Amino acid sequence: MNIRTQFPVWAAVAALTILSSGKLHAQGPTESTQDTTATAPSLFAPVADASPQEQPLIGHGSRGFFIRSPDNVWLLQLQFRLQFRAFGPWDFIPDGRDDFQNPSGLSLGIRRSRIKVSGHGFRPWLAYAMEYDVGNSVLLNYTLDVNRWDQFRIKVGQWKAVYSRERVVSSGRQQQADRSIVNRIFTIDRQQGVSFYGRLAEGTAADIMYDFSVLTGTGRGNPVNDDDNLMYMGRLQWNPLGRDVPMRGGDLGRSENPALSIALGGVTNQSPCTRFSTSGCGRLNGFEVGEEGQFRVNQAIVETAFIWKGFSWAQEFHWKSIEDTFTDVVTDLDGNYVQAGYFFSEAFDWFPEPLELGARWAFSNTDGDNPDSRVDEYTFAVNWFFSGHDNKLTAEYAHFNFSDDVPEDVAGGRFRLQWDIQF
């Protein structure tokens, strides 16, 4: 094993060893455990050769079916998710003139099919999680998380790096049918490595959440770095009202008290990649597939989010610089989205309570060879929540306008109808 390329794994092993040394005391349930079991109806299932005190609790909660030991030392949660989508004339993000000139008809299919496993073992604060994409036969996430203290936690494995809110929010928790055009250009997506994160002064005006990660920087499914340079990511989030905005779309809980989050983030990486996705390392328009260490990528984000009494707001401004270290050519890209939604039942008694209206505007560069190329997105969505985000129907219409150095712009629209359900 090359220690240099496997640094995140070695660092995580060392940190876990230090945290696990000495006498350990079982703490109360983790946040995720409390969400799962406190509100879930629990059934006692007898186990052979087990006394009543040793019988596990079996039931269903916010993270699916669960089995939990009576002392809360062991927990297994299992969740299934399906996302059905009808769309037309296409389902991709248009990023060039050709995308508007070849419309297709109405299509229907399963967009996502996932199995999620999570829980904790040995101690309630030693958590694990995995997510498997059934349709593509891909293991998306696998993490081991030491969350003994709120102020300092450690995570190791592969997961969506906590860089931008829009990407971190699950596709099953989005306010729109899917993410904006900004995501394709600026996400760093899933990476392998180690993260040090926590929350300080919770509930006060100095409420701060931080995340510093050291990652291989070569995307999902690739544990080995391509050169001597790792990916370094930092995010700092301030919650001035003492309450953070949860990583999910909308304000389904109709928050009685307002919550505001302001975040700054940055990433630096050198690799063959100019973009990342669920598929792993990839390239943006205008760039060829890179060689080892060819592209130095620096990124920054400014993000805001707000919820109160059924109203929600989310915004991100992105900047990205790509330096081709072989040619010394530097390309700058930027993008932004603003998204808002509201449950009008909070203002009008006659408005259906499960119905939410949402809108989004976004713009982004599309082509590294042509800095004048740009796509604007205008999206309107209607959500009907049968059982929160676990069972919802979304109807969405998006209009796109593409412009570049050619005088005439091109435009087109896209419709989506989506049913997302989790068990």
Side-chain angles (χ1 to χ4, degrees):
M1 178 183 290
N2 188 326
I3 295 179
R4 169 179 59 80
T5 57
Q6 299 286 342
F7 170 75
V9 176
W10 283 101
V13 171
L16 290 173
T17 302
I18 295 172
L19 286 173
S20 300
S21 63
K23 186 177 181 180
L24 302 178
H25 302 275
Q27 304 292 314
T30 63
E31 182 179 353
S32 61
T33 303
Q34 291 173 339
D35 287 345
T36 302
T37 60
T39 59
S42 300
L43 302 176
F44 288 90
V47 178
D49 300 325
S51 65
Q53 293 79 14
E54 297 173 336
Q55 294 173 358
L57 286 76
I58 302 176
H60 186 275
S62 62
R63 294 180 183 267
F65 301 94
F66 69 84
I67 303 175
R68 190 187 70 179
S69 64
D71 57 4
N72 195 40
V73 171
W74 298 92
L75 172 68
L76 171 66
Q77 301 170 118
L78 181 62
Q79 189 172 54
F80 303 91
R81 177 185 169 213
L82 291 171
Q83 186 183 86
F84 303 92
R85 180 183 293 177
F87 59 89
W90 24 257
D91 194 33
F92 53 81
I93 296 175
D95 56 15
R97 291 181 173 274
D98 293 342
D99 292 338
F100 294 92
Q101 296 170 358
N102 299 297
S104 58
L106 184 66
S107 301
L108 173 66
I110 299 178
R111 181 69 175 84
R112 292 177 172 93
S113 52
R114 306 281 175 83
I115 297 177
K116 299 179 181 180
V117 180
S118 62
H120 57 246
F122 298 102
R123 296 293 185 271
W125 43 260
L126 187 57
Y128 64 89
M130 290 185 290
E131 182 173 358
Y132 184 75
D133 184 340
V134 178
N136 296 308
S137 299
V138 170
L139 183 59
L140 298 175
N141 300 336
Y142 47 91
T143 59
L144 183 63
D145 200 329
V146 180
N147 50 37
R148 188 176 186 183
W149 305 284
D150 291 339
Q151 296 81 5
F152 181 72
R153 300 182 176 189
I154 298 177
K155 178 164 59 179
V156 61
Q158 176 177 281
W159 69 98
K160 287 189 290 188
V162 185
Y163 176 63
S164 62
R165 172 177 294 272
E166 184 180 38
R167 187 65 184 104
V168 172
V169 173
S170 168
S171 56
R173 297 288 188 264
Q174 296 282 332
Q175 190 172 61
Q176 313 282 342
D178 219 326
R179 301 175 179 92
S180 73
I181 58 176
V182 171
N183 178 73
R184 180 183 183 276
I185 307 295
F186 300 99
T187 181
I188 61 173
D189 216 85
R190 290 176 171 88
Q191 302 285 343
Q192 296 191 18
V194 58
S195 176
F196 306 93
Y197 68 105
R199 186 171 184 178
L200 309 173
E202 181 177 354
T204 73
D207 190 336
I208 295 292
M209 303 171 71
Y210 69 90
D211 190 310
F212 176 72
S213 299
V214 183
L215 309 161
T216 56
T218 46
R220 183 201 60 78
N222 196 341
V224 180
N225 197 8
D226 61 307
D227 56 16
D228 292 330
N229 300 284
L230 294 164
M231 173 185 281
Y232 298 94
M233 187 218 77
R235 175 185 168 93
L236 191 66
Q237 177 177 311
W238 177 38
N239 308 310
L241 303 180
R243 295 172 292 275
D244 72 308
V245 179
M247 288 288 186
R248 57 177 178 266
D251 183 24
L252 276 69
R254 275 75 161 182
S255 305
E256 286 297 323
N257 299 308
L260 172 66
S261 296
I262 303 170
L264 302 173
V267 175
T268 184
N269 185 45
Q270 188 165 337
S271 73
C273 320
T274 52
R275 68 175 293 258
F276 294 99
S277 68
T278 303
S279 300
C281 177
R283 66 180 185 90
L284 291 173
N285 292 351
F287 295 91
E288 299 298 328
V289 177
E291 303 293 333
E292 292 185 356
Q294 180 173 353
F295 298 108
R296 164 61 68 181
V297 178
N298 295 310
Q299 297 184 219
I301 180 175
V302 179
E303 173 192 295
T304 60
F306 177 81
I307 55 172
W308 190 32
K309 293 186 176 180
F311 174 78
S312 61
W313 158 281
Q315 171 274 330
E316 295 174 10
F317 175 79
H318 291 264
W319 168 83
K320 184 173 185 176
S321 175
I322 304 172
E323 178 188 359
D324 188 332
T325 60
F326 293 3
T327 64
D328 294 329
V329 174
V330 177
T331 303
D332 290 328
L333 303 169
D334 62 1
N336 186 80
Y337 84 85
V338 176
Q339 180 172 297
Y342 186 54
F343 288 90
F344 281 88
S345 58
E346 291 295 294
F348 306 102
D349 293 338
W350 52 267
F351 202 85
E353 186 173 347
L355 186 62
E356 179 193 35
L357 304 182
R360 179 172 66 208
W361 166 72
F363 78 86
S364 179
N365 299 121
T366 63
D367 193 335
D369 273 346
N370 185 358
D372 294 325
S373 64
R374 165 173 163 154
V375 171
D376 284 82
E377 171 195 349
Y378 306 90
T379 300
F380 177 78
V382 179
N383 295 309
W384 187 280
F385 296 93
F386 300 103
S387 182
H389 282 294
D390 286 343
N391 188 358
K392 68 176 180 180
L393 189 66
T394 301
E396 173 194 278
Y397 177 77
H399 180 81
F400 300 93
N401 186 82
F402 175 79
S403 60
D404 54 12
D405 50 5
V406 177
E408 294 184 2
D409 297 348
V410 291
R414 178 189 66 197
F415 173 77
R416 288 168 167 172
L417 180 64
Q418 181 170 288
W419 180 27
D420 203 298
I421 185 166
Q422 302 188 64
F423 302 94

